[in-house]
Amino acid sequence: MKKLALVLTVALGACATAPDSQGPRVKVTPLGSHDGEFCPFDRALVFEDPDGTRILYDPGRTVRGPDDPRLGKIDAVLLSHVHGDHLGDIIQPAANAGACPKPDFSVNVTPNSNMVNISLAKQAPMIVGGEMHSFFQAKVKSLGGDPNKLVRLVRFGAQTTVGKVMVASVPAVHSNGLPPAFLPKEQAAALGAAGLTAYVGPPGGFVLRFSNGLTAYLSGDTGITAEQDLVVRGHYKANMVVMNIGGFPFTTGPAEAAYVVNDLVKPNSVIASHANEPATVNGKLVETSRTAAFRRTARMPVHVPLSGRTMEFDGSGRCASGC
Ligand SMILES: [Zn+2]
């Protein structure tokens, strides 16, 4: 009897931790500045649902415009907030330009922004919260696009769907001033001279629920918030997290981010994000990096988003391949 109990325990334990090797998977592909590395400005990820829906999150500086061949078909673009490293003020002239610690972002894409250029070219709606929608509607209109088609507002508490993917807006506690560079010249000059940004409402994060059950929390730029416990885990039951670990002086660093995943959201796996450091050399994690410190402290698998390497997640939030 004792032996049977032991066998059962071991079998159940295995079921609880092993990824589902048979079920449908969501593909997650990081679009960073340097192939096979995790570099300081890497934020962008493409999520692909088993139904083929492809969602781009925070294109930032490392997606090389709408013609970047890594994009392929894009059905929607999510933006957490309007800072230049997420909306995209400058981009790389070519793949791997510059070095991972200091990428070459010599192509200026203001005042349009990288995201708006991508949304227009792909005819993919951007999904934004706060009061960002009215700014983007005006910008899309000025560039000849259809603001009703290309700009979708989703504020905290609300959700929308893209294909079979549910996209919910959750809070981030950060800042969300629009840098003057995205404004017309006269306005930019006046605000810039006063050291001010333009108000576009609060920043946010997202929860995505895919058709296989994978429920991913994308933290955006944030500190520790009570909603990570009450809403992200409590209500949405996120089982995977894309977590900002960048630290001082902007957002959660490795210790705070570890608290968020260990004690608040408690997912089955995590993708580290927004490291603000060259976290890898030749695709290997640098042991003295913030990313490595986070990985040591987190109590679940932490995956390093190597640019161009596709990771596949099962419905329980575990990485089934590519990690
Ligand atoms: Zn940022």
Side-chain angles (χ1 to χ4, degrees):
M1 195 60 203
K2 223 175 188 178
K3 205 170 189 183
L4 179 65
L6 184 68
V7 170
L8 274 174
T9 310
V10 170
L12 285 171
C15 287
T17 51
D20 172 10
S21 55
Q22 302 304 319
R25 297 169 181 178
V26 171
K27 293 178 182 158
V28 183
T29 307
L31 305 186
S33 64
H34 288 74
D35 298 339
E37 305 286 0
F38 182 29
C39 301
F41 290 93
D42 293 4
R43 285 104 175 88
L45 299 172
V46 172
F47 293 86
E48 184 177 321
D49 189 85
D51 82 342
T53 300
R54 284 168 63 84
I55 298 176
L56 173 64
Y57 167 55
D58 281 358
R61 294 171 176 163
T62 63
V63 177
R64 295 180 280 273
D67 297 328
D68 188 325
R70 301 175 298 176
L71 284 175
K73 178 186 79 121
I74 293 294
D75 299 294
V77 187
L78 311 181
L79 184 73
S80 61
H81 65 299
V82 295
H83 291 166
D85 58 321
H86 297 257
L87 176 54
D89 47 2
I90 47 181
I91 61 174
Q92 273 178 305
N96 305 310
C100 175
K102 204 178 184 312
D104 172 358
F105 295 127
S106 54
V107 179
N108 190 315
V109 291
T110 60
N112 288 15
S113 81
N114 199 21
M115 180 185 73
V116 168
N117 286 342
I118 292 167
S119 170
L120 276 166
K122 302 287 183 186
Q123 288 294 294
M126 50 189 96
I127 298 176
V128 298
E131 298 186 18
M132 293 179 264
H133 67 299
S134 48
F135 168 71
F136 287 117
Q137 281 168 340
K139 189 171 283 291
V140 161
K141 202 171 170 193
S142 76
L143 296 167
D146 177 354
N148 294 320
K149 180 183 175 192
L150 294 183
V151 185
R152 238 190 256 185
L153 173 67
V154 183
R155 285 194 182 130
F156 175 42
Q159 59 188 60
T160 186
T161 53
V162 183
K164 288 185 180 168
V165 185
M166 183 281 289
V167 179
S169 170
V170 294
V173 179
H174 187 57
S175 64
N176 195 30
L178 181 78
F182 295 109
L183 290 167
K185 262 203 182 95
E186 323 74 63
Q187 295 169 14
L191 282 171
L196 295 173
T197 58
Y199 175 78
V200 287
F206 295 95
V207 171
L208 310 185
R209 181 166 292 127
F210 296 90
S211 64
N212 70 345
L214 175 72
T215 306
Y217 165 52
L218 318 182
S219 73
D221 285 14
T222 189
I224 298 167
T225 79
E227 293 87 355
Q228 289 163 332
D229 176 12
L230 297 172
V231 180
V232 174
R233 181 184 58 79
H235 179 66
Y236 292 112
K237 300 181 171 44
N239 54 25
M240 191 268 262
V241 169
V242 175
M243 190 68 216
N244 188 316
I245 61 153
F248 181 84
F250 303 115
T251 64
T252 47
E256 296 80 11
Y259 174 74
V260 171
V261 296
N262 288 342
D263 295 282
L264 302 184
V265 187
K266 303 176 183 175
N268 286 325
S269 72
V270 178
I271 298 175
S273 177
H274 203 298
N276 293 345
E277 65 179 355
T280 60
V281 173
N282 297 324
K284 292 271 171 287
L285 190 59
V286 176
E287 277 313 310
T288 51
S289 66
R290 273 193 287 273
T291 307
F294 172 64
R295 184 147 88 166
R296 280 193 294 273
T297 318
R299 290 198 289 265
M300 64 290 295
V302 170
H303 306 299
V304 178
L306 300 179
S307 182
R309 188 197 61 181
T310 298
M311 299 170 274
E312 300 190 358
F313 290 82
D314 68 14
S316 73
R318 292 176 176 86
C319 185
S321 81
C323 294

